[in-house]
Amino acid sequence: MDEEQTLLAKVAEVRPLSVLDVGCGDGRIPSLYAAPEVVCIDSSEASVEAAARRGLDARLADAQDLPFPDASFDVVTCNHTLYHVADREQALAEIARVLRPSGRFAGIYNTPAHLREVWEAVGAVWARDSFDSENGLPLLQRQFSRVERLIRGGTVMWLDAADLQAYLDAYRELLGVLHAPEGPYPFVATRAKCIFVAEAA
Ligand SMILES: C[S@@+](CC[C@H](N)C(=O)[O-])C[C@H]1O[C@@H](n2cnc3c(N)ncnc32)[C@H](O)[C@@H]1O
């Protein structure tokens, strides 16, 4: 996907010796990082186990209290995770603390346009305080200098209602039970992702 290619390029650009991925999930994205040391953390044991199965150095930890000394990493990434964290400012302060001076932060998040057609069709409303390309920007600017937003995307298509229902079911915990619209299918929606790239002060 375009946004992941851009993220990988932004990580590789600074030729990091050490990268920390915060909220690694199953470790798929950090497993693609080109660096001698890649460390992952996640607050879910199942995620840590899944990332470890990929051969990653994965540890159980909270983004709001990172178990690393100051200035430990050349790059810190945090993809699709800050909207799950209760105290985003604290998590970003922790990320800035463990980055070395002039180190790089990068993270993939949604723009408000992302899958707009789907959420409108199913009547779902994202929490107003969600971390996205717009409301995430001022939070990042408080911790980092030179915050850049790169927009990538295109379209996404679900071939039938069962296909879209399976996608919606993955959001049950966040948004409640959602029912796939009756059509028309294929259902086409906008993909619009943002890659934040920021520099530690
Ligand atoms: C939507 S998944 C994103 C996974 C991965 N970064 C990706 O982009 O594919 C969010 C992840 O953040 C983790 N997470 C949520 N709150 C967290 C916290 N406070 N500290 C660390 N990880 C957290 C979840 O367990 C989950 O694995």
Side-chain angles (χ1 to χ4, degrees):
M1 288 185 281
D2 280 3
E3 66 273 17
E4 291 185 5
Q5 293 301 329
T6 300
L7 176 89
L8 295 178
K10 287 293 174 183
V11 170
E13 194 173 68
V14 296
R15 298 182 181 277
L17 294 177
S18 55
V19 181
L20 171 67
D21 186 53
V22 175
C24 60
D26 69 2
R28 188 184 59 81
I29 297 178
S31 73
L32 302 171
Y33 294 167
E37 184 191 13
V38 177
V39 179
C40 301
I41 69 103
D42 200 287
S43 59
S44 141
E45 272 183 37
S47 292
V48 170
E49 283 165 14
R53 279 198 294 275
R54 290 183 191 270
L56 287 162
D57 174 353
R59 309 176 193 183
L60 191 66
D62 194 307
Q64 298 155 112
D65 184 19
L66 294 174
F68 305 104
D70 297 356
S72 298
F73 297 97
D74 297 325
V75 169
V76 179
T77 59
C78 182
N79 304 306
H80 306 116
T81 291
L82 285 162
Y83 42 79
H84 293 290
V85 176
D87 190 341
R88 284 150 213 171
E89 299 225 43
Q90 173 62 20
L92 285 168
E94 279 292 272
I95 288 172
R97 180 183 67 74
V98 303
L99 262 178
R100 67 161 170 75
S102 306
R104 174 167 286 185
F105 168 81
I108 303 173
Y109 285 89
N110 295 335
T111 72
H114 185 64
L115 305 188
R116 188 178 42 212
E117 299 86 347
V118 175
W119 308 126
E120 281 173 7
V122 300
V125 181
W126 278 89
R128 233 181 288 146
D129 63 349
S130 184
F131 188 98
D132 66 19
S133 61
E134 306 309 302
N135 55 25
L137 181 66
L139 295 182
L140 282 162
Q141 284 170 330
R142 259 177 242 162
Q143 295 293 343
F144 301 101
S145 52
R146 280 205 295 256
V147 183
E148 193 183 2
R149 282 183 298 189
L150 304 164
I151 306 299
R152 298 286 183 275
T155 54
V156 62
M157 192 195 296
W158 288 270
L159 292 179
D160 54 39
D163 205 10
L164 181 48
Q165 188 60 54
Y167 182 79
L168 294 171
D169 287 345
Y171 284 89
R172 188 170 297 170
E173 212 178 298
L174 272 179
L175 300 174
V177 176
L178 300 170
H179 300 287
E182 295 204 338
Y185 287 91
F187 192 98
V188 179
T190 305
R191 284 187 77 253
K193 292 280 183 174
C194 164
I195 305 93
F196 283 116
V197 183
E199 230 165 74

